């Protein structure tokens, strides 16, 4: 079974201001409002469901907004098994869709000792054949959470997928995560670079593998994606036809889901990478997360070497 963890989920409340624009200090009226379940792990679970792969979404949730989040995620095909906080409210992120995209993201409640203990209980109940996706940034003060979880999973032969940045990412390497998925900026920053050539990117991916990551999947936006497999081989996914991006939110999460869905149905690494890149691209071409038909269409424009 695939499990996803969203440490600080949200309801993403979109307000369409494209017609009149956003004027600070004035009363602005939206043309349309939409609500989506927010959080990187939840995004992964939604795309997995759309590609026919089962998963269970874990998240820390609270209050009335937490119940609404659960309902929204279930509507999108997620099997939710949230860890409930006794106080507070799951955060709401307000997204103003206008010429200069503006957002106000909530802080969200902190889990207490009882909720953290429940998380540990769940992690320790996993075993061989299970996969746990750890994605997104953590609350301040929880910096080594992913490293601790990866350590437990390594002991229990659980595959871990890590999508975060900085010390939280590097701290997991000693537990040999099955896959890490940085983007270019995150990979360069991890080793103190601000920019770099394709050759440097490959070198840094190799350094990640040398420090313990078993597979490294690098997303490169319009340039496609690179995979360094645990056998040392590189795979490159290239876009044969590019389209203008509508929003890159959720594209990386979709990439992870596509890769896992490909492996779950028995694809080899090249085909799993094609599906991963297609899922990421298709989501970038849409306002929210892509559906199966959009992903399949995007896959026809991707070549893998």
């Amino acid at each position: 079974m695939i499990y996803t963890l969203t440490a600080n989920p949200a309801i993403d409340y979109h307000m369409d201001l494209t017609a009149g624009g956003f004027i600070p200090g004035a009363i602005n009226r939206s043309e349309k409002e939409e609500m989506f379940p927010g959080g990187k792990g939840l995004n992964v679970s939604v795309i997995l469901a759309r590609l026919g792969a089962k998963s269970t979404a874990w998240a820390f949730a609270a209050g009335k907004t937490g119940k609404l989040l659960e309902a929204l995620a279930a509507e999108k095909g997620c099997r939710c098994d949230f860890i409930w906080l006794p106080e507070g409210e799951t955060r709401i992120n307000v997204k103003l869709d206008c010429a200069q995209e503006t957002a106000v993201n909530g802080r969200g409640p902190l889990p207490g000792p009882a909720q953290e203990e429940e998380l540990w209980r769940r992690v320790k109940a996993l075993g061989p054949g299970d996969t746990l996706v750890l994605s997104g940034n953590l609350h301040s003060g929880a910096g080594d959470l992913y490293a601790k979880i990866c350590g437990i999973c390594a002991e229990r032969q659980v595959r871990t997928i890590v999508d975060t940045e900085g010390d939280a990412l590097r701290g997991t390497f000693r537990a040999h995560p099955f896959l890490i998925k940085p983007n270019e900026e995150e990979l360069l920053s991890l080793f103190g670079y601000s920019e770099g050539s394709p050759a440097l990117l490959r070198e840094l991916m190799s350094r990640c593998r040398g420090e313990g990551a078993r597979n490294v999947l690098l997303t490169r936006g319009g340039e496609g994606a690179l995979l360094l497999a645990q056998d040392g081989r590189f795979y490159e996914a290239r876009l044969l036809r590019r389209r203008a991006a509508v929003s890159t939110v959720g594209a990386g999460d979709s990439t992870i889901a596509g890769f896992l869905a490909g492996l779950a149905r028995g694809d080899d690494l090249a085909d799993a990478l094609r599906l991963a890149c297609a899922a990421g691209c298709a989501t970038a071409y849409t306002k929210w997360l892509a559906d199966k038909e959009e992903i399949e269409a995007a896959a026809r424009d991707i070549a893998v070497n």
Side-chain angles (χ1 to χ4, degrees):
M1 173 62 79
I2 300 171
Y3 297 85
T4 65
L5 174 63
T6 306
N8 193 19
I11 294 169
D12 286 342
Y13 187 74
H14 285 256
M15 306 182 78
D16 186 349
L17 301 177
T18 52
F22 173 64
I23 304 173
I27 295 176
N28 295 271
R29 301 188 185 279
S30 70
E31 297 295 313
K32 182 175 65 173
E33 300 83 39
E34 293 180 281
M35 288 188 293
F36 301 103
K40 294 176 71 63
L42 288 170
N43 292 341
V44 174
S45 282
V46 169
I47 294 294
L48 283 170
R50 291 179 173 180
L51 291 174
K54 295 181 179 179
S55 72
T56 297
W58 293 347
F60 291 115
K64 298 182 291 296
T65 52
K67 292 296 184 183
L68 177 56
L69 173 66
E70 185 179 45
L72 291 170
E75 286 177 1
K76 301 299 184 183
C78 287
R79 180 183 182 274
C80 300
D81 188 10
F82 290 174
I83 300 173
W84 292 93
L85 282 59
E87 297 179 348
E89 295 284 341
T90 291
R91 64 191 177 128
I92 298 175
N93 296 335
V94 179
K95 311 289 187 178
L96 304 180
D97 299 329
C98 50
Q100 290 184 310
E101 188 172 322
T102 303
V104 180
N105 288 352
R107 182 175 184 273
L110 289 169
Q115 292 75 49
E116 291 178 354
E117 184 58 35
E118 171 60 15
L119 175 61
W120 297 128
R121 184 195 67 77
R122 294 185 183 195
V123 172
K124 291 174 183 177
L126 301 178
D130 289 327
T131 297
L132 178 58
V133 179
L134 305 171
S135 54
N137 295 325
L138 297 166
H139 277 295
S140 58
D144 62 348
L145 176 65
Y146 287 167
K148 290 178 179 178
I149 291 175
C150 285
I152 295 172
C153 288
E155 295 172 358
R156 305 193 62 79
Q157 300 178 54
V158 176
R159 294 195 309 187
T160 48
I161 315 297
V162 184
D163 180 16
T164 188
E165 58 185 302
D167 292 339
L169 173 61
R170 203 165 199 169
T172 67
F173 288 178
R174 61 180 178 270
H176 305 291
F178 174 76
L179 178 77
I180 63 169
K181 193 223 68 64
N183 58 34
E184 277 194 40
E185 181 181 353
E186 290 164 346
L187 180 65
L188 290 166
S189 177
L190 191 65
F191 293 97
Y193 294 91
S194 58
E195 57 183 28
S197 64
L200 177 61
L201 294 173
R202 290 175 183 246
E203 177 187 335
L204 299 182
M205 292 172 71
S206 297
R207 287 174 65 177
C208 289
R209 203 170 68 88
E211 291 186 20
R214 291 163 59 191
N215 298 277
V216 183
L217 175 55
L218 179 70
T219 50
R220 304 189 62 208
E223 298 298 322
L226 282 173
L227 172 68
L228 173 56
Q230 60 188 38
D231 64 4
R233 288 190 295 174
F234 276 97
Y235 296 78
E236 180 183 21
R238 295 182 297 106
L239 278 61
L240 301 177
R241 182 171 68 97
R242 297 188 188 185
R243 295 167 52 190
V246 175
S247 172
T248 59
V249 175
D253 312 321
S254 299
T255 301
I256 290 174
F259 189 75
L260 289 177
L263 294 183
R265 70 186 189 188
D267 287 355
D268 60 21
L269 289 179
D271 285 338
L273 179 60
R274 178 179 289 104
L275 185 58
C277 190
C281 288
T283 285
Y285 300 153
T286 63
K287 184 176 180 179
W288 191 52
L289 301 177
D291 59 29
K292 182 179 180 180
E293 291 71 23
E294 291 167 330
I295 293 170
E296 291 174 344
R300 293 193 286 269
D301 292 327
I302 293 170
V304 177
N305 299 317

